[in-house]
Amino acid sequence: MDKDQLYESSSFGQVVIGPPGSGKTSYCQAMAAMLTELGRKVALINLDPANDTVPYESSVSITELVKMEEGMISESLGPNAALLYCMEALSSNKDWLLSKLKSLHGCYFIFDFPGQAELYTHHTMVRDLLRCLDSANIKLCSVYLVDAHYANEPGKYLSALLVALSSMLQLESPAVNLLSKVDLVDKYEALQMPLEFYTEVLDLNYLLDQLQDCPFTKRYHKLNKAIAELVTDYSLLSFIPVSVLDKRSLLNVMKAVDKANGYIYGNKEERNIQRLLSCAVGATSEHERLGEVRDKYQGGGHSDASEEDDEEERLLKAYATQNPNVK
């Protein structure tokens, strides 16, 4: 198959990754529903062999190629090894996936990946797959989810930062990081710092001071300091707070992802009008990105934002579909 000729024009999408329990599948379902509501044609791609009962209708599923149970039985493997076996099978059958995606030409792709961190921090199979899709003119952005409850514990939050950074560097793709389940942040103990501290990854020395208060983590002060300095030196990490129940937070993510994977810029010169419209509508103020979520879920008062009127809804649909003439 000639990958350079697979598509006459670019396709776009997002690769959803993150540790188990971070809400990847729920996010995929919610994002697909919102984009569909706004008029974008969406195809959900399930590439998690351990998740064969997804709550959404997948256009393509890795279970059509290989099943995790088969690897466990035929190769006498445990669950983690069987998952790696399935992902290696997918990596060896990229043409199968490309042919499936070719039949979905014109769709916006959302890839639901497994949660095993080693796939993104150590192994190269996912990176190689993303390179293959990019060579087929499918422009993707990695969306990395971190559960908001990690912010309640300095050790977990610092670990999450390290894994997120490692994944960004290993995958070598545009990336957007999300602080997921932010609507549940007060279900745990209250955050010791404002939400911006965790989303903007500010002064990590404060975390080191907190880690000193714990007898266990205090023993690893030099290691904790080295990790904090590594994250700070790269200065690549920031997070967008999101709740799958909050459309405005999903819209913020949509705008960030569309800028990262190039969707708002289109792929033809005659789309200049759409690009200008998208950039204008996609502009996000700091309050829109953080303030509304903070006000809603951290008891900071009610947001002053009014309900979207018909014109705002039209602009959002125009942004999502890249069609300025949408009604």
Side-chain angles (χ1 to χ4, degrees), residues 14-20 22-24 27-28 111-117 119-121 126 130 141-146 163-164 167-168 171 173 175-178:
Q14 49 186 282
V15 174
V16 182
I17 60 177
S22 57
K24 296 185 299 297
Y27 166 82
C28 290
F111 294 86
D112 189 1
F113 269 78
Q116 275 64 15
L119 291 174
Y120 320 111
T121 59
V126 175
L130 297 187
C141 168
S142 298
V143 178
Y144 188 90
L145 276 70
V146 172
V163 176
S167 299
M168 290 176 66
L171 295 182
S173 67
V176 171
N177 300 306
L178 307 182

Coordinates of all heavy atoms in Angstrom, one line a residue, residues 14-20 22-24 27-28 111-117 119-121 126 130 141-146 163-164 167-168 171 173 175-178:
Q14 N -7.0 12.5 17.5 CA -6.3 12.5 18.7 C -6.1 11.1 19.3 O -7.0 10.2 19.1 CB -7.1 13.4 19.7 CG -8.5 13.1 19.9 CD -9.2 14.2 20.8 OE1 -9.1 14.1 22.0 NE2 -9.9 15.1 20.2
V15 N -5.0 11.0 19.9 CA -4.6 9.7 20.5 C -4.7 9.8 22.0 O -4.0 10.6 22.6 CB -3.2 9.3 20.1 CG1 -2.7 8.0 20.9 CG2 -3.1 9.1 18.6
V16 N -5.7 9.1 22.6 CA -6.0 9.3 24.0 C -5.2 8.3 24.8 O -5.4 7.1 24.7 CB -7.5 9.2 24.3 CG1 -7.8 9.4 25.7 CG2 -8.3 10.2 23.4
I17 N -4.4 8.7 25.7 CA -3.5 7.9 26.5 C -3.6 8.3 28.0 O -4.1 9.4 28.3 CB -2.1 7.8 26.0 CG1 -1.5 9.2 26.1 CG2 -2.0 7.3 24.6 CD1 0.0 9.3 25.7
G18 N -3.0 7.5 28.9 CA -3.0 7.9 30.3 C -3.1 6.6 31.1 O -3.4 5.6 30.6
P19 N -2.8 6.7 32.4 CA -2.8 5.5 33.3 C -4.2 5.0 33.4 O -5.2 5.6 33.2 CB -2.2 6.1 34.6 CG -2.5 7.5 34.6 CD -2.4 8.0 33.1
P20 N -4.3 3.7 33.8 CA -5.6 3.1 34.1 C -6.4 3.9 35.1 O -5.9 4.3 36.1 CB -5.2 1.7 34.6 CG -3.8 1.4 34.1 CD -3.1 2.7 34.1
S22 N -7.8 6.7 34.6 CA -7.8 8.2 34.4 C -9.0 8.7 33.6 O -9.1 9.9 33.5 CB -6.5 8.6 33.7 OG -6.4 8.0 32.5
G23 N -9.8 7.8 33.1 CA -11.1 8.3 32.4 C -10.9 8.4 30.9 O -11.7 9.2 30.3
K24 N -10.0 7.6 30.3 CA -9.8 7.7 28.9 C -11.0 7.3 28.1 O -11.4 8.1 27.2 CB -8.6 6.8 28.5 CG -7.3 7.2 29.1 CD -6.2 6.3 28.6 CE -6.4 4.8 28.9 NZ -6.3 4.6 30.4
Y27 N -13.8 9.9 28.4 CA -13.4 11.1 27.7 C -13.7 10.9 26.2 O -14.2 11.7 25.5 CB -11.9 11.4 27.9 CG -11.4 12.4 27.0 CD1 -11.6 13.8 27.1 CD2 -10.7 12.0 25.8 CE1 -11.1 14.7 26.2 CE2 -10.2 12.9 24.9 CZ -10.4 14.3 25.1 OH -10.0 15.2 24.2
C28 N -13.2 9.7 25.7 CA -13.4 9.4 24.2 C -14.9 9.5 23.9 O -15.3 10.1 22.9 CB -12.9 8.0 23.9 SG -11.1 7.9 23.9
F111 N -8.6 7.8 18.9 CA -8.0 6.5 19.2 C -8.0 6.3 20.8 O -7.4 7.1 21.5 CB -6.6 6.5 18.7 CG -6.4 6.5 17.2 CD1 -6.4 7.7 16.5 CD2 -6.4 5.3 16.5 CE1 -6.3 7.7 15.1 CE2 -6.3 5.3 15.1 CZ -6.2 6.5 14.4
D112 N -8.6 5.3 21.2 CA -8.6 4.9 22.6 C -7.6 3.8 22.9 O -7.7 2.7 22.5 CB -10.0 4.4 23.0 CG -10.2 4.2 24.5 OD1 -9.3 4.4 25.2 OD2 -11.3 3.7 24.8
F113 N -6.5 4.2 23.5 CA -5.3 3.3 23.7 C -5.4 2.7 25.1 O -6.1 3.2 26.0 CB -4.0 4.1 23.6 CG -3.5 4.1 22.1 CD1 -4.1 4.9 21.2 CD2 -2.4 3.3 21.8 CE1 -3.6 4.9 19.9 CE2 -1.9 3.3 20.5 CZ -2.5 4.1 19.5
P114 N -4.6 1.6 25.3 CA -4.5 1.0 26.7 C -3.8 2.0 27.7 O -3.2 3.0 27.3 CB -3.6 -0.2 26.4 CG -3.6 -0.4 25.0 CD -3.8 0.9 24.3
G115 N -4.0 1.6 29.0 CA -3.5 2.5 30.0 C -2.1 2.1 30.5 O -1.5 2.8 31.4
Q116 N -1.5 1.0 30.0 CA -0.2 0.6 30.5 C 0.9 1.6 30.2 O 1.2 1.9 29.0 CB 0.2 -0.8 30.0 CG -0.3 -2.0 30.8 CD -1.9 -2.0 30.8 OE1 -2.5 -1.4 30.0 NE2 -2.4 -2.8 31.7
A117 N 1.5 2.2 31.2 CA 2.5 3.3 31.0 C 3.7 2.9 30.2 O 4.2 3.7 29.4 CB 2.9 3.9 32.3
L119 N 3.9 1.3 27.6 CA 3.7 1.4 26.1 C 4.2 2.8 25.6 O 4.6 2.9 24.4 CB 2.3 1.2 25.8 CG 1.7 -0.2 26.0 CD1 0.2 -0.1 25.7 CD2 2.3 -1.2 25.0
Y120 N 4.2 3.8 26.5 CA 4.5 5.1 26.0 C 5.8 5.6 26.6 O 6.4 6.6 26.1 CB 3.4 6.1 26.5 CG 2.0 5.5 26.3 CD1 1.2 5.1 27.4 CD2 1.5 5.2 25.0 CE1 0.0 4.6 27.2 CE2 0.3 4.6 24.9 CZ -0.5 4.3 26.0 OH -1.7 3.7 25.8
T121 N 6.3 5.0 27.6 CA 7.6 5.5 28.3 C 8.8 4.6 27.9 O 9.9 5.1 28.0 CB 7.4 5.5 29.8 OG1 7.1 4.2 30.3 CG2 6.3 6.4 30.2
V126 N 4.1 2.1 20.0 CA 3.1 3.1 19.8 C 3.7 4.3 19.0 O 3.1 4.8 18.1 CB 2.6 3.6 21.2 CG1 1.6 4.8 21.0 CG2 1.9 2.5 21.9
L130 N 2.3 5.7 15.4 CA 2.0 7.1 15.2 C 2.8 7.7 14.0 O 2.3 8.5 13.2 CB 2.3 8.0 16.4 CG 1.4 7.6 17.7 CD1 1.7 8.7 18.8 CD2 0.0 7.5 17.4
C141 N -2.7 14.3 17.6 CA -2.2 14.9 18.8 C -2.4 13.9 19.9 O -3.5 13.3 20.0 CB -3.0 16.2 19.0 SG -2.7 16.9 20.7
S142 N -1.4 13.8 20.7 CA -1.5 12.9 21.9 C -2.3 13.7 23.0 O -1.9 14.8 23.3 CB -0.2 12.5 22.4 OG 0.5 11.7 21.4
V143 N -3.3 13.0 23.6 CA -4.0 13.6 24.7 C -3.8 12.7 25.9 O -4.3 11.6 26.0 CB -5.5 13.7 24.4 CG1 -6.3 14.3 25.6 CG2 -5.8 14.6 23.2
Y144 N -3.0 13.3 26.9 CA -2.6 12.5 28.1 C -3.5 12.9 29.3 O -3.5 14.1 29.6 CB -1.1 12.7 28.4 CG -0.6 11.8 29.4 CD1 0.0 10.6 29.1 CD2 -0.6 12.2 30.8 CE1 0.4 9.7 30.1 CE2 -0.1 11.4 31.8 CZ 0.4 10.1 31.4 OH 0.9 9.3 32.4
L145 N -4.2 11.9 29.9 CA -5.1 12.2 31.0 C -4.4 11.8 32.3 O -3.8 10.8 32.4 CB -6.4 11.4 30.8 CG -7.5 12.1 30.0 CD1 -7.1 12.0 28.5 CD2 -8.8 11.3 30.2
V146 N -4.5 12.7 33.3 CA -4.1 12.5 34.6 C -5.3 12.7 35.6 O -5.9 13.8 35.5 CB -2.9 13.4 35.0 CG1 -2.6 13.2 36.5 CG2 -1.7 13.0 34.2
V163 N 5.8 10.7 34.4 CA 5.3 9.8 33.4 C 4.8 10.6 32.2 O 5.0 10.2 31.1 CB 4.3 8.9 34.0 CG1 3.7 8.0 32.9 CG2 4.9 8.0 35.1
A164 N 4.1 11.7 32.5 CA 3.5 12.5 31.4 C 4.7 13.1 30.5 O 4.6 13.0 29.3 CB 2.7 13.6 32.0
S167 N 6.3 10.3 28.5 CA 5.5 9.9 27.4 C 5.5 11.0 26.2 O 5.6 10.6 25.0 CB 4.0 9.8 27.8 OG 3.9 8.8 28.8
M168 N 5.5 12.2 26.6 CA 5.6 13.3 25.6 C 6.9 13.2 24.8 O 6.9 13.2 23.5 CB 5.6 14.7 26.2 CG 4.2 15.1 26.8 SD 4.3 16.7 27.6 CE 4.6 17.8 26.3
L171 N 6.9 9.7 22.6 CA 6.0 9.6 21.4 C 6.3 10.6 20.3 O 6.0 10.4 19.2 CB 4.5 9.8 21.9 CG 4.0 8.8 22.8 CD1 2.5 9.1 23.2 CD2 4.1 7.4 22.2
S173 N 5.2 13.4 19.5 CA 4.0 14.0 18.7 C 3.5 15.2 19.5 O 3.8 15.4 20.7 CB 2.9 12.9 18.7 OG 2.4 12.6 20.0
A175 N 1.3 17.3 21.8 CA 0.6 16.8 23.0 C -0.2 17.8 23.7 O 0.2 19.0 23.8 CB 1.7 16.2 23.9
V176 N -1.3 17.4 24.3 CA -2.1 18.2 25.2 C -2.4 17.3 26.4 O -2.8 16.1 26.3 CB -3.5 18.5 24.5 CG1 -4.4 19.2 25.5 CG2 -3.3 19.5 23.3
N177 N -2.1 17.9 27.6 CA -2.3 17.1 28.8 C -3.5 17.6 29.6 O -3.8 18.8 29.6 CB -1.0 17.3 29.7 CG 0.2 16.8 29.1 OD1 0.3 15.7 28.6 ND2 1.2 17.7 29.0
L178 N -4.3 16.7 30.1 CA -5.5 17.0 30.8 C -5.5 16.5 32.2 O -5.0 15.5 32.6 CB -6.7 16.3 30.1 CG -6.9 16.5 28.6 CD1 -8.1 15.8 28.1 CD2 -6.9 18.0 28.2

